């Protein structure tokens, strides 16, 4: 019924993921006073009483697109499906409280497999102190699909949007970048080796941090509290699911500003550097485009710099400029390179 082979049809890939979302949703208008923020951020914000707001975010994980069960244990998958959603709640400066979990499964999966998946979901619910309050279960003819919706709360006026960055603000990132993508490269390589020689036992020890970041990511539940303690309120914030480059562009577009990102400031773990060398990949490109780090990227006022500068979790990687100056990477040798959103484009990579 939806097939349209006519020459005038537009391929989904030509719009890209963000272009497609924008195209499909641009005509929705907000009718309810309680909708504080609709489409366009890490989570929607809904006012509930005079003191609190509710944030809601949802994500889909599809077998063959977002995960490969030949090397992702189901328990890890369940854990990750929850964590990636909680990351969007933390990116609003909110605290997650509940999730719903919807799954579509084929009869290829025995009950024991789904028990494993749910053991992972339960482990995440425990660690992040949230309740699983519902969901939906249906059959699938193709593969496993998991959709998690997360809810959270934030004090009125404390939600942080993608749209609040101002000229001269500093751009700050938590943790380090690129490890999850390099973990995926290692796992993909081991899968190919295993196909040729099923008796081979991979030695993943030198890549332990990378593989853990890929298979068992964590959301930055500590940052909101840390910033409160330091008495810093970010002016804008987003989580890094698609790669640093793509997220910087989201902040800049939504805030109508430009940005200079300094290559030599991008935090990289030594395992990322050594494994990039081994795979002949450029570590900056990986940090910019790799994705799935689930770190937080935010902007702060310049005057707050002394409060964060000594903190080992936080790295200043750039500053916000006027919109007219554009969005650039300043390379190690000082050249100015325009940033492009080469982050994970699920529709292009797998279309
Ligand atoms: P994130 O990477 O933080 O999960 P997305 O890029 O998936 O964010 O989504 C950006 C915004 O678009 C969010 O507000 C999200 O709720 C909204 N969105 C994404 N897909 C759809 C859709 N199919 N219909 C309506 N809104 C959508
Ligand atoms: Mg997000």
């Amino acid at each position: 019924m939806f097939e349209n082979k006519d020459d005038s049809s537009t391929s989904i890939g030509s719009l890209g993921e963000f272009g497609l979302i924008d195209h499909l949703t641009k005509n929705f208008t907000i009718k309810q006073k309680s909708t504080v923020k609709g489409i366009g951020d890490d989570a929607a914000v809904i006012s509930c009483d005079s003191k609190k707001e509710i944030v809601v975010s949802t994500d889909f994980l599809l077998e063959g697109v977002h995960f490969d069960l030949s090397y992702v244990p189901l328990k890890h998958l369940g854990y990750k499906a929850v964590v990636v959603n909680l990351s969007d709640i933390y990116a609003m400066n909110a605290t997650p409280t509940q999730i719903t979990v919807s799954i579509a499964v084929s009869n290829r999966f025995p009950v024991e497999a789904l028990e494993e998946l749910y053991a992972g979901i339960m482990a995440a619910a425990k660690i992040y102190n949230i309740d699983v309050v519902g969901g939906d279960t249906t059959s699938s003819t193709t593969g496993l699909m998991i959709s998690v919706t997360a809810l959270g709360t934030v004090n009125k006026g404390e939600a942080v949007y993608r749209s609040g960055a101002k000229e001269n603000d500093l751009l700050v990132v938590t943790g380090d970048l690129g490890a999850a993508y390099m973990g995926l490269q290692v796992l993909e390589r081991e899968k190919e080796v295993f196909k040729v020689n099923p008796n081979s036992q991979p030695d993943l020890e030198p890549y332990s941090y990378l593989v853990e970041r890929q298979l068992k990511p964590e959301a930055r539940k500590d940052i909101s509290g840390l910033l409160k303690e330091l008495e810093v309120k970010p002016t804008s914030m987003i989580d890094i699911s698609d790669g640093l480059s793509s997220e910087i562009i989201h902040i800049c577009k939504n805030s109508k500003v430009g940005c200079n990102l300094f290559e030599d400031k991008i935090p990289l773990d030594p395992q990322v550097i050594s494994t990039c060398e081994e795979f002949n990949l450029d570590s900056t490109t990986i940090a910019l485009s790799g994705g799935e780090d689930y770190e937080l990227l935010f902007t702060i006022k310049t005057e707050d710099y002394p409060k964060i500068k000594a903190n080992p979790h936080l790295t200043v990687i750039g500053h916000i400029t006027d919109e007219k100056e554009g969005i650039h990477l300043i390379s190690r040798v000082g050249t100015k390179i325009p940033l492009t959103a080469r982050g994970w484009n699920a529709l292009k990579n797998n279309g």
Side-chain angles (χ1 to χ4, degrees), residues 310-322:
N311 198 286
H313 297 287
L314 309 175
T315 313
V316 176
I317 56 172
H319 61 255
I320 299 299
T321 62
D322 185 86

Side-chain angles (χ1 to χ4, degrees), residues 41-43 57 59 84 87-88 91 162 238-241 247:
D41 218 298
D42 293 303
S57 183
D59 262 309
V84 303
S87 177
D88 278 321
R162 295 175 178 183
I238 189 168
D239 71 323
I240 302 184
S241 49
E247 316 303 357

Side-chain angles (χ1 to χ4, degrees), residues 229-263:
E229 240 169 70
L230 298 171
E231 296 177 2
V232 174
K233 187 186 173 197
T235 53
S236 69
M237 186 150 63
I238 189 168
D239 71 323
I240 302 184
S241 49
D242 298 330
L244 181 61
S245 182
S246 168
E247 316 303 357
I248 290 177
I249 292 170
H250 278 313
I251 286 195
C252 288
K253 293 253 152 88
N254 281 280
S255 301
K256 301 195 170 52
V257 292
C259 180
N260 285 328
L261 165 70
F262 293 90
E263 180 179 23

